Amino acid sequence: MTAAVTYEHIKTCKQTGARLGIVHTPHGSFETPAFMPVGTQATVKTMSPEELKAMNAGIILSNTYHLWLRPGNDVIKEAGGLHKFMNWDRPILTDSGGFQVFSLSEFRNIKEEGVHFRNHMNGDKLFLSPEKAMHIQNDLGSDIMMAFDECPPFPATHEYMKSSVERTSRWAERCLEAHQRPQDQGLFGIIQGGEFEDLRKQSAQDLVSLDFPGYAIGGLSVGEPKDVMNRALEFTTPLMPANKPRYLMGVGSPDSLIDGAIRGIDMFDCVLPTRIARNGTLMTSTGRLNIKNAAFKRDFGPIDEKCDCYTCTNYSRAYVHHLIRADETFGIRLTSYHNLQFLLNLMGQVRQAIREDRLGDFREEFFEAYGFNKP
Ligand SMILES: CC(C)(C)OC(=O)NCc1c[nH]c2nc(N)[nH]c(=O)c12
Ligand SMILES: [Zn+2]
């Protein structure tokens, strides 16, 4: 049976462990390393599909948990699936709901059969299981589905983490069995285990033996220091098959994207660009700035001299400053557009640096200009 999702390795950077690749899915292919804009509720906040295409977004992410609760997977199925519902004809990845349950809901009760919790919007009692998470994603019709996992809180004891990893592995097996459309939708396993090398190894071995078409690393960027995340990547990515996509969930900031790519990660997602855009924080080639700052009231230059996005091409810092201060929705569109384009452009620069075998040099240049090297 041909797999719905496959990875094509193009080359590995001679200066670092980063790899250039292409992921093929039923709704088209995208180059890696790739950043996936997050569209939790079937929209990348304030962006139209045309604008996402204009900024060269190859794939976007949406959430099982949120779409199950509202509008309902049945509604989206009736609409012809998530691609049709949101008018996006490129690849979509859906997260499984596991993480959202653990991060959004109170009163959760984790059992072998699944998780009992309350609807974070109205307090109704709910239950989510591996089988249910698969059924919802089959209804949504995403190209890449995520297995139902437990993303334990940070920090967690080794003892708790061990039992959690073992349950997540049993849940992964149940996801594979419950998957109704493997020929149309790729299902990725999620490696957990926190910062414990032995547990990451156990989780990876359990999941690799189940032969998923792709693998994610979960349970990182949950508040641990960056060096803890980088070290966890250094002992986890080598355990993941080289001929399949590697996806680091919930990451991230520009430095984490570069450092993740250097450690062999192909796919990333993070709400950061659109989340910080809503309060006027912008990522630029010379570091972060908050456009609400009074210094920008009469600054008629672009947000970022080096950016060619719609915002930087057509509007000034002063204008965006005014819109955000006046709480104008168009201001949030302009800041979101720029931040998404910034990260998508960054991944384009990372891919080019891999082609030229100089990602290590690029890291130094970018960190220096952005101010990551400042003590
Ligand atoms: C706190 C933030 C969101 C930044 O990162 C994480 O929680 N990182 C981990 C993470 C993000 N999304 C996931 N989905 C699933 N199924 N499992 C996970 O572990 C994660
Ligand atoms: Zn811009």
Side-chain angles (χ1 to χ4, degrees):
M1 168 186 69
T2 53
V5 174
T6 57
Y7 176 73
E8 182 185 349
H9 176 256
I10 304 297
K11 70 166 283 192
T12 297
C13 173
K14 290 188 178 59
Q15 207 177 55
T16 66
R19 53 199 215 149
L20 185 68
I22 302 173
V23 175
H24 300 283
T25 84
H27 280 86
S29 307
F30 58 94
E31 287 187 315
T32 59
F35 176 77
M36 300 185 281
V38 174
T40 294
Q41 302 188 106
T43 165
V44 177
K45 290 186 175 16
T46 78
M47 291 291 104
S48 73
E50 293 72 22
E51 287 166 332
L52 289 167
K53 284 185 179 175
M55 59 175 81
N56 197 22
I59 173 172
I60 62 167
L61 182 143
S62 212
N63 271 309
T64 299
Y65 170 78
H66 296 79
L67 296 175
W68 167 45
L69 296 189
R70 183 177 54 188
N73 46 292
D74 52 324
V75 168
I76 294 176
K77 182 178 183 178
E78 219 174 298
L82 188 52
H83 289 86
K84 188 111 175 49
F85 190 56
M86 66 184 290
N87 186 34
W88 174 257
D89 61 4
R90 290 186 177 181
I92 298 176
L93 180 148
T94 46
D95 197 353
S96 57
F99 159 71
Q100 287 72 30
V101 169
F102 297 108
S103 63
L104 281 176
S105 298
E106 305 293 317
F107 318 108
R108 62 184 172 273
N109 184 5
I110 308 167
K111 295 281 184 220
E112 185 63 29
E113 73 269 18
V115 188
H116 299 271
F117 58 98
R118 288 187 186 274
N119 181 322
H120 71 288
M121 295 179 288
N122 62 17
D124 286 354
K125 279 194 175 153
L126 291 170
F127 174 70
L128 203 47
S129 67
E131 291 76 15
K132 180 88 177 163
M134 290 300 105
H135 174 76
I136 295 164
Q137 291 179 88
N138 285 151
D139 281 355
L140 300 178
S142 45
D143 300 284
I144 299 175
M145 302 164 45
M146 299 311 293
F148 187 71
D149 63 327
E150 179 188 356
C151 171
F154 177 81
T157 62
H158 187 276
E159 183 194 9
Y160 180 86
M161 191 61 83
K162 182 164 172 52
S163 66
S164 171
V165 160
E166 287 163 354
R167 179 170 46 225
T168 285
S169 294
R170 291 192 296 275
W171 282 357
E173 200 153 5
R174 285 169 52 188
C175 287
L176 272 176
E177 282 153 23
H179 186 4
Q180 277 121 26
R181 294 174 37 203
Q183 72 289 352
D184 296 334
Q185 297 174 271
L187 173 59
F188 283 15
I190 304 177
I191 296 166
Q192 291 287 356
E195 57 188 298
F196 304 105
E197 186 163 359
D198 60 326
L199 299 182
R200 284 283 173 189
K201 191 172 184 129
Q202 182 182 340
S203 180
Q205 284 170 342
D206 291 351
L207 298 178
V208 170
S209 69
L210 294 172
D211 195 22
F212 285 96
Y215 293 89
I217 297 176
L220 289 179
S221 114
V222 286
E224 76 283 355
K226 294 239 161 122
D227 59 319
V228 171
M229 174 155 76
N230 284 335
R231 197 169 131 54
L233 291 181
E234 279 153 20
F235 60 67
T236 305
T237 47
L239 303 170
M240 301 164 83
N243 63 338
K244 294 181 175 179
R246 300 179 183 140
Y247 166 24
L248 178 54
M249 305 184 87
V251 173
S253 55
D255 54 331
S256 299
L257 292 173
I258 294 171
D259 282 339
I262 286 173
R263 288 164 179 78
I265 298 295
D266 307 306
M267 296 163 62
F268 302 86
D269 87 273
C270 192
V271 294
L272 186 78
T274 42
R275 177 167 294 173
I276 63 174
R278 291 197 283 284
N279 72 14
T281 302
L282 294 160
M283 294 182 272
T284 79
S285 47
T286 54
R288 275 191 181 195
L289 64 83
N290 192 303
I291 200 62
K292 286 190 297 223
N293 189 311
F296 302 119
K297 186 177 172 115
R298 287 182 170 75
D299 182 336
F300 299 103
I303 298 277
D304 185 348
E305 297 285 346
K306 293 190 177 160
C307 182
D308 59 356
C309 84
Y310 170 70
T311 303
C312 295
T313 305
N314 297 292
Y315 305 94
S316 67
R317 288 175 166 186
Y319 180 63
V320 181
H321 168 91
H322 159 63
L323 292 182
I324 295 294
R325 284 235 174 169
D327 204 17
E328 280 291 344
T329 308
F330 187 53
I332 294 174
R333 270 180 43 74
L334 292 177
T335 53
S336 300
Y337 199 119
H338 168 77
N339 280 349
L340 284 166
Q341 183 80 77
F342 181 85
L343 288 188
L344 290 165
N345 283 352
L346 172 60
M347 298 318 278
Q349 290 163 339
V350 164
R351 293 193 296 269
Q352 188 53 33
I354 295 170
R355 283 190 195 94
E356 298 167 2
D357 294 312
R358 57 179 301 278
L359 186 54
D361 298 340
F362 174 76
R363 180 185 187 280
E364 285 319 307
E365 292 152 16
F366 183 88
F367 274 43
E368 188 57 34
Y370 199 88
F372 281 121
N373 293 338
K374 272 187 213 123

